[in-house]
Amino acid sequence: MLNGKTVVLGVSGGIAVYKSCDIVSKLKKLGLNVHVIMTESATEFVSPLTFQSLSQNYVVSDMFAEPKTWDVEHISLAKKADLFLIVPATANVIGKIANGIADDMLTTTVMATKAPILLAPAMNTNMYENVIVQKNIEFLEGLGYNFVEPDSGRLACGDIGSGKLANVDTIVSRVVDMLNVEQDLKGQKIVVTAGPTVERIDPVRYLSNRSTGKMGYSIATEAAKRGAEVTLISGPTNLKAPNGLSKYVQIESAEDLYKAVVDNFDDNKVFIQSAAVADYRPNEYSVKKIKKSDDDLVINLGRNKDVAYEIGKNKKDKVLVAFAAETNDLVKHAKGKITKKNLDFIVANDLTQEGAGFKADTNIVKIIDREGSIEEYPIMKKEEVANIILDKVKNIL
């Protein structure tokens, strides 16, 4: 699947340049075509001839050097790339890309490519932790750029901390993963809901649940990798928004979630509803903190809208998927929800099983369709569960 694919490797000036040589060698052994672009400062660490010998392609470094072909080189390389990899990615080159600066062959080609871009930062710990560098990385991630986080350890300068270039095999593995992802959902518009909802009692207290959002975020991540245009509607979590989203909507209450889903209903085809929505909310919100007294506190709760049920009433040609997280009678409850909420299928998991809870990185699920057929799956990573769900969505589409 990798044979014939092209990686354009950008090499910027840092002591970790020598490790890029090993990356070129490993990528070539996997059958990939590799073109190398070096910044002028990178050539002070390793000569272009080294990369030329390893890649078996001309190395480009000077914007104004006599061209080796009649192509406009930065445009030609930008179009050839199935993946654009930058190793090492210095604070300087990250800053340039984040601010749209294209003043050398590397940054100019980055601006011209439509290929996925993967950066592996490497720099001094203080530089890596600098708020400007972190904001630049966060900004680029929000635009869909991918990063391989640096390792921690002893740096070339003698300092110990984060900023050390990630292991070469880790970087190569990430390249392989990105190139092997089939864009089989390209053009499909998918809404994923994730995380808990929060129902406020007073300015201090609220009702919520244990959902961490990991399952929904995994679905959104994998769908974006497979080319879908993903809108993620998320309750409060500690997770970073996945790369490559079309839209990221942060909500708090069940009512917020309902409004966000309705607002995005007409423009999207698929709705995967993994958010853990509160069934009830306080009937009254106290604008001031409720003070403790000697009496018991009674809070009257009112019913929230059932979001999946409400959109199921107007299903049309949409693909609707929901989750059933139960502690007893899993299949019975899940089957009831399919009919009531007009779902195409439901993903059911038993919260009492070890490895299937909210906080875990794994899940154990049963998938039940409209005809009542049940497919059971063993414990697996949530990313794997996400792709099983997306495969079923693809078959329906």
Side-chain angles (χ1 to χ4, degrees), residues 109-270:
T109 311
V110 168
M111 294 300 153
T113 192
K114 291 189 176 180
I117 299 173
L118 177 63
L119 298 94
M123 64 197 76
N124 171 267
T125 299
N126 291 339
M127 293 177 69
Y128 181 67
E129 294 177 350
N130 184 285
V131 65
I132 297 172
V133 174
Q134 288 301 313
K135 282 191 173 183
N136 285 337
I137 291 173
E138 184 178 346
F139 173 71
L140 289 173
E141 285 181 328
L143 295 179
Y145 287 68
N146 302 276
F147 284 81
V148 182
E149 286 194 16
D151 289 338
S152 293
R154 188 181 185 280
L155 307 177
C157 61
D159 289 351
I160 295 176
S162 56
K164 181 180 179 181
L165 185 72
N167 182 277
V168 166
D169 288 333
T170 299
I171 297 170
V172 171
S173 177
R174 186 73 178 278
V175 169
V176 171
D177 286 346
M178 290 180 69
L179 288 173
N180 272 334
V181 176
E182 186 180 354
Q183 298 288 288
D184 56 351
L185 293 175
K186 195 169 185 64
Q188 297 293 347
K189 295 185 176 182
I190 298 176
V191 170
V192 180
T193 70
T197 61
V198 168
E199 310 298 331
R200 295 192 297 165
I201 298 170
D202 65 18
V204 177
R205 304 175 182 89
Y206 59 85
L207 300 176
S208 190
N209 56 65
R210 295 181 181 274
S211 174
T212 59
K214 287 182 177 180
M215 189 68 250
Y217 276 60
S218 294
I219 296 169
T221 298
E222 298 306 313
K225 285 182 182 178
R226 291 169 66 165
E229 297 175 32
V230 181
T231 295
L232 176 59
I233 303 173
S234 175
T237 75
N238 292 318
L239 304 175
K240 289 175 65 175
N243 293 329
L245 295 178
S246 295
K247 192 188 295 185
Y248 181 52
V249 182
Q250 293 178 287
I251 57 92
E252 186 173 271
S253 68
E255 184 64 24
D256 295 338
L257 176 64
Y258 173 71
K259 289 177 180 176
V261 170
V262 169
D263 286 346
N264 288 279
F265 190 76
D266 290 338
D267 294 336
N268 290 275
K269 176 76 172 179
V270 180

Side-chain angles (χ1 to χ4, degrees), residues 214-215 354-364 379-385:
K214 287 182 177 180
M215 189 68 250
E354 187 175 351
F358 287 126
K359 292 184 179 180
D361 293 324
T362 56
N363 211 344
I364 306 168
I379 187 169
M380 59 180 67
K381 291 181 179 179
K382 286 182 173 173
E383 292 85 353
E384 295 174 288
V385 176

Side-chain angles (χ1 to χ4, degrees), residues 313-383:
K313 290 191 296 186
N314 188 36
K315 185 176 189 294
K316 299 179 182 177
D317 64 343
K318 310 295 185 183
V319 177
L320 303 183
V321 181
F323 277 69
E326 304 289 348
T327 58
N328 60 283
D329 298 326
L330 177 65
V331 173
K332 176 184 175 182
H333 290 313
K335 283 186 173 180
K337 290 179 180 180
I338 294 175
T339 303
K340 178 183 177 182
K341 303 182 183 187
N342 203 9
L343 305 173
D344 288 277
F345 65 88
I346 195 164
V347 184
N349 58 305
D350 184 345
L351 297 180
T352 65
Q353 289 186 287
E354 187 175 351
F358 287 126
K359 292 184 179 180
D361 293 324
T362 56
N363 211 344
I364 306 168
V365 303
K366 293 179 173 70
I367 295 182
I368 308 172
D369 65 20
R370 293 173 72 92
E371 286 71 44
S373 299
I374 303 174
E375 293 182 80
E376 298 189 33
Y377 297 90
I379 187 169
M380 59 180 67
K381 291 181 179 179
K382 286 182 173 173
E383 292 85 353

